[in-house]
Amino acid sequence: MKGKFPVIIAFFILLTATSAFAQDDCDNLLKTELTNIPGVQTTIQENGKFLTILATSDKAESIKIASRITALHSRTSSTGCDFKSFPIAVFNSNLLSVKTKTADNLSNAEIEKLLYKHVYALSPVQVEENLKGYTRLAELFPLNSYYAARVEHYKERSDLQKTRNNFIKKCLREAAKDKNIHDLKINRDVYLFITDDDTPQKTSLAFLDKVEKITPRPKKELCLFFYDSELNRKGYSCPTEYQQNLGNTEETLLMNYVQSIPSYHIKQNINGYKALKNLNPALTLYTSKLDSYESKLRGLNNFLNVQTSSGEKLFLKNILRGSTLFVTLDDKAIEGKSRKSLKSFYSALNSYYAYSGSPYQRCMLKSQAGATLGKIQCTKNGRCKFKE
């Protein structure tokens, strides 16, 4: 008889474990089925209890979706799961209860636990969702001081976020109109100013004071970086707590500006990649970009300083319009040349332009009177052709 007890105990343990696994399977199956109903935003489960949150606050639409949930609740799955044994609360997108019989067996404490689980799982950066969640919990359970404290915390964060966003929008709008602000890049509370004068810090602080008179400034202190038009860093103003968690924010903002500079602005790109290299000397991208643009500048200078056989400069002046270089030739260099000689001359000029790295894809040759003598057109891989 004694030998039978271990067998009976083992049988009951196996039966209990099997029931638990079956329960888990049914829980997960119901959660999947609920989540797949159109209009359901999310479903929270806890010990066989469910809270389904809808993606709409519209009353008629909420009732339709709740009806589908009720129909699902009355089913038994093909695997034998009786969904009716699992209570389901339904909330709309504003976290207000949608009346349904599926929640009859849920106590207030169980609903609180499910709703808190949903809110607790939100990311802290989801400020408005957290505020909505804790506000609803505080309304349902007004004696809970923790919920009230969380509401106040997220109210402050929400106000800060709105003030910050409004201030950023106004700063960007005003910067576009300000003749002294060349560009302004912003990431939350970090501002990078590029000014067109030689006092970037003074100009930037005056600009912020001007904007503050139009719209409220965030209570949180700003982290500011000041650059002149040649991208020399002329100072910064940044709270200590920012400096500890700043990471590569300044570099990212500066890189956003540098990458917006057209490739045909060679000197500006050189200044940009020099400034980026100062911030991050180890990054080979900045070194290779800087080398490339410096090589282009050397090639351009070599081409523009080419001399005639008598030692005079061939080009009297040059100007860049967009991505096209316009050069004015000294008329004496081509006076009296035959058609064949001119063809050889322009061919040699074309070859030297290509040899110099074809700094721009198009170079227009002009006479001193302004007449077009021809055009050097280059492909992206540096092959050039002269056209009259």
Side-chain angles (χ1 to χ4, degrees):
M1 185 72 179
K2 288 181 181 179
K4 290 183 179 180
F5 282 110
V7 175
I8 295 170
I9 292 169
F11 172 76
F12 278 113
I13 291 172
L14 180 62
L15 183 64
T16 303
T18 304
S19 299
F21 285 131
Q23 173 79 9
D24 286 344
D25 287 345
C26 289
D27 275 16
N28 293 332
L29 178 60
L30 178 55
K31 183 177 181 179
T32 301
E33 293 283 350
L34 285 168
T35 305
N36 287 338
I37 292 175
V40 169
Q41 181 178 296
T42 189
T43 298
I44 302 93
Q45 69 180 102
E46 180 80 21
N47 298 327
K49 314 292 190 298
F50 289 82
L51 169 62
T52 293
I53 299 173
L54 309 184
T56 182
S57 60
D58 181 78
K59 186 176 180 180
E61 189 64 26
S62 297
I63 292 171
K64 284 182 186 177
I65 301 168
S67 297
R68 296 190 192 108
I69 293 170
T70 302
L72 172 66
H73 189 246
S74 64
R75 277 176 39 201
T76 299
S77 74
S78 58
T79 55
C81 293
D82 181 11
F83 292 152
K84 197 178 288 184
S85 62
F86 300 98
I88 306 168
V90 181
F91 282 9
N92 68 14
S93 60
N94 290 331
L95 302 184
L96 298 173
S97 179
V98 178
K99 193 173 181 182
T100 172
K101 292 180 180 179
T102 61
D104 286 350
N105 294 328
L106 276 174
S107 67
N108 285 342
E110 289 168 334
I111 290 174
E112 177 185 8
K113 194 172 184 180
L114 288 164
L115 181 56
Y116 178 72
K117 184 176 181 179
H118 163 67
V119 177
Y120 185 79
L122 294 170
S123 166
V125 299
Q126 293 175 276
V127 175
E128 295 304 322
E129 287 300 309
N130 272 286
L131 178 57
K132 181 167 66 176
Y134 283 113
T135 298
R136 188 68 186 124
L137 282 165
E139 289 169 351
L140 291 171
F141 310 99
L143 298 180
N144 190 310
S145 60
Y146 173 75
Y147 297 153
R150 290 281 84 191
V151 168
E152 290 306 309
H153 169 76
Y154 280 105
K155 269 185 181 177
E156 285 182 15
R157 289 194 60 185
S158 177
D159 290 343
L160 172 64
Q161 198 172 69
K162 287 172 185 173
T163 305
R164 174 195 287 137
N165 291 341
N166 289 336
F167 193 72
I168 288 172
K169 285 178 185 176
K170 183 58 74 174
C171 278
L172 293 173
R173 196 174 294 126
E174 292 300 314
K177 299 186 288 185
D178 195 305
K179 63 181 182 179
N180 293 319
I181 305 295
H182 183 77
D183 207 341
L184 172 59
K185 299 297 182 187
I186 304 173
N187 181 352
R188 288 171 60 84
D189 300 311
V190 183
Y191 289 54
L192 188 143
F193 285 91
I194 301 165
T195 68
D196 280 325
D197 58 22
D198 56 358
T199 56
Q201 184 161 345
K202 181 181 176 183
T203 300
S204 303
L205 293 176
F207 170 81
L208 289 172
D209 288 342
K210 181 182 74 173
V211 175
E212 190 176 358
K213 291 174 183 176
I214 304 170
T215 190
R217 185 170 177 161
K219 290 180 182 178
K220 199 170 182 182
E221 198 172 346
L222 303 179
C223 182
L224 310 171
F225 295 95
F226 313 107
Y227 283 79
D228 66 17
S229 58
E230 294 185 351
L231 297 185
N232 297 304
R233 193 173 187 252
K234 294 294 187 178
Y236 68 96
S237 171
C238 200
T240 306
E241 61 268 24
Y242 271 116
Q243 294 177 39
Q244 294 170 351
N245 302 296
L246 195 59
N248 64 344
T249 307
E250 180 187 2
E251 180 186 346
T252 301
L253 291 174
L254 183 59
M255 183 170 63
N256 288 344
Y257 169 71
V258 173
Q259 289 182 333
S260 72
I261 300 172
S263 60
Y264 53 81
H265 289 315
I266 298 173
K267 192 66 173 72
Q268 289 180 7
N269 274 285
I270 288 173
N271 292 338
Y273 285 106
K274 272 185 180 176
L276 286 167
K277 190 176 178 182
N278 287 337
L279 291 176
N280 189 351
L283 192 62
T284 56
L285 171 67
Y286 300 153
T287 303
S288 61
K289 286 283 190 181
L290 181 58
D291 289 346
S292 173
Y293 280 108
E294 286 182 333
S295 176
K296 273 190 174 186
L297 184 60
R298 283 193 299 271
L300 175 62
N301 289 333
N302 288 339
F303 179 74
L304 294 177
N305 289 311
V306 69
Q307 296 179 344
T308 64
S309 57
S310 61
E312 300 292 327
K313 284 191 70 172
L314 176 61
F315 303 120
L316 300 178
K317 62 180 180 180
N318 66 86
I319 188 170
L320 185 67
R321 291 177 184 156
S323 59
T324 301
L325 177 66
F326 290 80
V327 293
T328 301
L329 275 70
D330 185 343
D331 288 346
K332 290 183 289 186
I334 55 175
E335 274 178 2
K337 288 187 181 291
S338 65
R339 179 103 182 140
K340 185 177 180 181
S341 296
L342 280 175
K343 190 174 180 180
S344 297
F345 171 77
Y346 290 134
S347 177
L349 207 54
N350 177 76
S351 297
Y352 189 65
Y353 188 76
Y355 173 77
S356 300
S358 54
Y360 304 102
Q361 285 187 287
R362 189 181 297 109
C363 175
M364 303 294 294
L365 307 179
K366 295 280 190 178
S367 70
Q368 285 180 248
T372 299
L373 302 172
K375 173 176 70 174
I376 300 173
Q377 182 75 44
C378 303
T379 61
K380 287 185 178 180
N381 60 14
R383 292 182 178 179
C384 301
K385 186 176 182 181
F386 178 79
K387 294 180 181 179
E388 287 191 61

